[in-house]
Amino acid sequence: MPRSRHVDAFNHDEEAAGYDRDVENEDDPIRAGYAALLDWLVEHARIDRTSRVVELGSGTGNLTARLPRAREIVCVDVSTEMTAIARAKLGRRPDVRFEACDLLEWFDRDSAPVDAIVSSYAIHHLTDDEKADLFGRMHARVVPGGRLALGDLMFETAADRGWMLEKYRDLGRAHVAEGIQEEFFWDLARAREELGALGFAVETQRFSDLSWAVAATRCA
Ligand SMILES: C[S@@+](CC[C@H](N)C(=O)[O-])C[C@H]1O[C@@H](n2cnc3c(N)ncnc32)[C@H](O)[C@@H]1O
């Protein structure tokens, strides 16, 4: 079974206790646009009571808690500590269940079709080649007409990475520069091309300097 290469490094067990406080600080460029982006994903996932939904990297359940009632929502995250917080928020939702699993590996564990796949701020923990693998798995799993609603830290083009790194170093935002260097913020132009080639119709929306969302419908 494939596991993403850096899954252990990006398991958020150690960040779990402070995570929800941290995401409220939208003055931090990494968190800017967080709440609006999550709301946009909910709107663009087009989930209803008949939908089978998968959320990748569900964390403390902030996106899950915004989703309307569905037939089933499977929340996939490797962190048991983040998931414990999500369980406490969502324990009363009979449509939600949790799986402790790597998000690439999940596609080999479960083979049932899904109507929508949602994810916020998790896929940047996969390398660009792993993202391409994930997009292929998503395409194979989502039903025709099904939806992806994915929000994350991204650069509009690969060329933006270098000057953004310099910008945040110059601004003295060392943790942002560190994130740009050590994590795998999306190259949105590449993702758009890969999703389009698979047969998705793609729409994008920017929420801050670094946060973007992608909604994609499987056409072919
Ligand atoms: C930055 S948090 C985002 C959480 C939540 N989706 C949100 O928007 O607040 C990233 C989450 O992805 C999980 N994660 C990172 N890499 C993963 C992987 N390869 N497989 C499964 N979960 C992963 C982490 O444990 C963490 O809970």
Side-chain angles (χ1 to χ4, degrees):
M1 279 192 190
R3 271 168 60 85
S4 57
R5 204 170 337 147
H6 302 282
V7 59
D8 295 329
F10 294 125
N11 178 325
H12 274 47
D13 276 348
E14 286 179 14
E15 286 83 5
Y19 187 81
D20 280 348
R21 204 172 41 248
D22 198 33
V23 294
E24 279 176 12
N25 176 17
E26 296 209 17
D27 292 336
D28 177 346
I30 297 285
R31 305 302 182 197
Y34 180 86
L37 181 148
L38 265 52
D39 289 339
W40 191 92
L41 295 182
V42 174
E43 188 189 331
H44 286 76
R46 297 190 200 145
I47 292 164
D48 64 28
R49 287 218 172 215
T50 68
S51 309
R52 181 170 198 251
V53 182
V54 178
E55 183 180 349
L56 299 174
S58 41
T60 59
N62 291 333
L63 175 59
T64 334
R66 288 168 158 84
L67 297 176
R69 268 293 282 278
R71 176 158 54 91
E72 182 182 32
I73 301 175
V74 184
C75 294
V76 180
D77 201 295
V78 71
S79 166
T80 52
E81 298 296 324
M82 295 286 273
T83 300
I85 294 169
R87 271 186 210 283
K89 276 182 202 161
L90 293 152
R92 289 169 190 273
R93 288 273 302 253
D95 53 337
V96 174
R97 70 179 174 85
F98 297 92
E99 288 211 19
C101 186
D102 175 76
L103 53 84
L104 280 180
E105 192 181 352
W106 180 81
F107 288 84
D108 291 331
R109 280 202 189 180
D110 180 307
S111 57
V114 299
D115 301 292
I117 300 177
V118 300
S119 184
S120 55
Y121 299 98
I123 294 172
H124 72 283
H125 297 308
L126 303 188
T127 66
D128 285 349
D129 287 348
E130 288 171 336
K131 289 186 194 78
D133 180 2
L134 178 69
F135 297 155
R137 287 165 186 269
M138 290 173 164
H139 182 263
R141 189 56 54 84
V142 83
V143 297
R147 305 277 292 167
L148 310 182
L150 314 170
D152 214 330
L153 300 165
M154 305 190 188
F155 302 118
E156 190 167 14
T157 68
D160 291 342
R161 187 177 181 280
W163 72 261
M164 284 275 201
L165 178 59
E166 249 175 64
K167 169 180 166 176
Y168 284 106
R169 274 192 186 134
D170 290 348
L171 288 170
R173 300 280 199 152
H175 77 288
V176 182
E178 210 172 277
I180 291 172
Q181 283 184 297
E182 293 175 8
E183 303 185 13
F184 308 101
F185 294 15
W186 299 37
D187 168 350
L188 180 56
R190 175 177 166 167
R192 193 198 277 273
E193 204 175 300
E194 289 171 344
L195 289 165
L198 283 165
F200 285 106
V202 179
E203 178 188 347
T204 62
Q205 176 75 41
R206 189 176 205 158
F207 288 89
S208 68
D209 217 14
L210 296 168
S211 280
W212 291 77
V214 174
T217 306
R218 183 181 155 183
C219 305

